[in-house]
């Protein structure tokens, strides 16, 4: 399966009976027969027979938990429709440069190295990975080493193309201020690349001498807070936002908060034993000095 947004790479939940019943009912309505359930999904027999197929349900369950049970049939039907479209996604051309305008970067957790692994590079200081995808109208496909080999291109070179495409696809009013009390900004377009726009934070935001705190709890969420002295006492609130949305939303990425300064990412707040732990790097003191301005001679 080539769709980037369908396999679940998060810890597998145990689904409650009501959710399983709802999924089984919609599968049956679509002609699928449930073979066996697994902790993170279900094995089904497709309409007309054939080999069993595994459908990961963890991300769907995250959405269902946030919705009324009466909305589940429509939610499940939409998920299965996207699944069918993804399976029928266009083939990737032999030369990726023929779809260069469709390339996009993705930011997420590293894939299980035991599985088929797309091309990717780590984002230093985060534990996250930048991958490449080819964007289609209803789905996306990861770029693999084999695709790069056929195209005679390096992943790093195509990443530059993908980032430029994302830059051009980002509206000028991408960020909205979250509240009048704090200058926290949220970015959301719903195009599946909002978290990836964290790679453009220092371009998209007005200049901030001491950098930015950045949270990417899920694929479709990006929160940014310019570093300031008044904000320091409340920055833990950004971590609470990250923790809650990482836990509740589909396609989770991380509940950490990072500090981004001059293009370099640093861990800043992490969750340890249920508590938010602020651990700024030594370089953060130097950044705060930039807020104070030059010292009088």
């Amino acid at each position: 399966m080539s769709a980037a947004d369908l396999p679940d790479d998060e810890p597998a939940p145990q689904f409650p009976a009501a959710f399983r019943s709802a999924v089984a009912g919609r599968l049956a309505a679509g002609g699928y027969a449930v073979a066996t359930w697994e902790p993170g999904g279900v094995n089904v027999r497709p309409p007309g027979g054939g080999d069993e197929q595994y459908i990961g349900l963890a991300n769907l369950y995250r959405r269902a938990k946030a919705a009324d049970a009466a909305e589940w049939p429509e939610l499940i039907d939409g998920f299965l429709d996207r699944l069918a479209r993804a399976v029928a996604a266009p083939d990737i051309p032999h030369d990726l440069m023929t779809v260069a305008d469709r390339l996009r970067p993705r930011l997420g957790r590293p894939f299980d190295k035991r599985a088929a692994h797309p091309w990717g590079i780590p984002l230093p200081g985060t534990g996250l990975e930048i991958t490449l995808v080819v964007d289609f109208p209803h789905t996306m496909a990861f770029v693999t080493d084999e695709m790069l080999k056929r195209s005679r291109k390096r992943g790093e070179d195509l990443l530059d193309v993908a980032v430029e495409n994302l830059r051009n696809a980002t509206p000028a009013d991408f960020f909205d201020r979250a509240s009048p009390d704090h200058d926290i900004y949220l970015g959301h377009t719903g195009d599946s690349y909002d978290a990836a726009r964290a790679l453009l934070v220092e371009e998209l935001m007005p200049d901030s001498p001491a950098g930015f705190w950045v949270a990417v709890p899920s694929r479709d969420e990006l929160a940014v807070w310019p570093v300031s002295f008044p904000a320091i006492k409340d920055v833990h609130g950004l971590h609470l936002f990250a923790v809650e949305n990482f836990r509740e939303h589909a396609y989770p990425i991380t509940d950490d908060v990072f500090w981004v300064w001059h293009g370099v990412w640093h861990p800043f707040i992490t969750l340890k034993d249920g508590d938010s732990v602020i651990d700024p790097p030594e370089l953060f003191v130097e950044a705060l000095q930039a807020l104070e301005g030059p010292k009088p001679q």
Side-chain angles (χ1 to χ4, degrees):
M1 186 180 299
S2 62
D5 59 340
L6 294 174
D8 296 297
D9 59 353
E10 60 188 276
Q14 295 286 344
F15 303 120
F19 176 75
R20 298 205 315 180
S21 177
V23 170
R26 302 319 302 166
L27 285 168
Y32 290 87
V34 173
T36 55
W37 288 91
E38 297 189 21
V42 59
N43 295 300
V44 300
R45 298 185 185 91
D51 295 335
E52 289 185 7
Q53 300 173 0
Y54 174 77
I55 301 176
L57 297 173
N59 285 314
L60 174 62
Y61 179 57
R62 283 176 179 264
R63 290 196 178 104
K65 285 195 302 181
D68 189 272
E71 302 174 40
W72 285 6
E74 182 178 355
L75 193 68
I76 296 167
D77 285 348
F79 173 82
L80 295 176
D81 181 57
R82 289 192 299 273
L83 177 65
R85 291 177 181 178
V87 171
D91 291 333
I92 306 299
H94 186 82
D95 185 353
L96 286 171
M97 292 309 295
T98 64
V99 289
D101 61 323
R102 292 181 175 271
L103 293 173
R104 299 288 188 274
R106 286 287 297 269
L107 185 63
R109 290 176 292 173
F111 280 73
D112 187 339
K113 301 299 182 181
R114 295 170 297 178
H117 190 261
W119 177 88
I121 58 173
L123 179 60
T126 66
L128 303 177
E129 187 173 57
I130 305 171
T131 53
L132 284 171
V133 301
V134 181
D135 186 61
F136 293 112
H138 301 295
T139 187
M140 61 198 75
F142 282 111
V143 171
T144 65
D145 288 329
E146 182 60 29
M147 294 178 191
L148 292 169
K149 183 178 179 181
R150 291 200 309 262
S151 303
R152 299 181 180 180
K153 294 292 182 181
R154 298 169 63 248
E156 290 81 358
D157 295 334
L158 292 189
L159 179 59
D160 291 339
V161 175
V163 170
E164 181 62 22
N165 290 341
L166 184 62
R167 183 179 290 115
N168 293 333
T170 303
D173 59 350
F174 172 64
F175 280 113
D176 288 322
R177 186 162 178 167
S179 79
D181 299 324
H182 300 292
D183 55 345
I184 300 174
Y185 293 84
L186 301 179
H188 178 72
T189 66
D191 66 356
S192 302
Y193 302 102
D194 289 322
R197 289 181 170 93
L199 302 172
L200 303 173
V201 159
E202 291 178 295
E203 299 179 31
L204 300 177
M205 290 289 295
D207 183 54
S208 175
F212 304 88
W213 291 301
V214 174
V216 283
S218 75
R219 183 192 68 181
D220 299 310
E221 293 173 297
L222 169 59
V224 178
W225 199 347
V227 174
S228 66
F229 286 116
I232 289 177
K233 63 181 177 62
D234 294 323
V235 68
H236 65 279
L238 183 61
H239 191 229
L240 293 176
F241 164 86
V243 170
E244 179 178 353
N245 287 280
F246 172 77
R247 182 176 62 245
E248 297 294 335
H249 288 182
Y251 307 104
I253 295 179
T254 179
D255 55 11
D256 291 343
V257 171
F258 305 97
W259 172 53
V260 181
W261 193 45
H262 298 323
V264 180
W265 289 56
H266 307 267
F268 198 87
I269 311 179
T270 58
L271 190 66
K272 295 182 179 179
D273 298 325
D275 295 322
S276 295
V277 177
I278 300 177
D279 187 18
E282 294 183 7
L283 197 61
F284 188 67
V285 176
E286 180 181 331
L288 293 181
Q289 291 172 349
L291 286 178
E292 296 175 340
K295 294 182 179 180
Q297 300 295 323

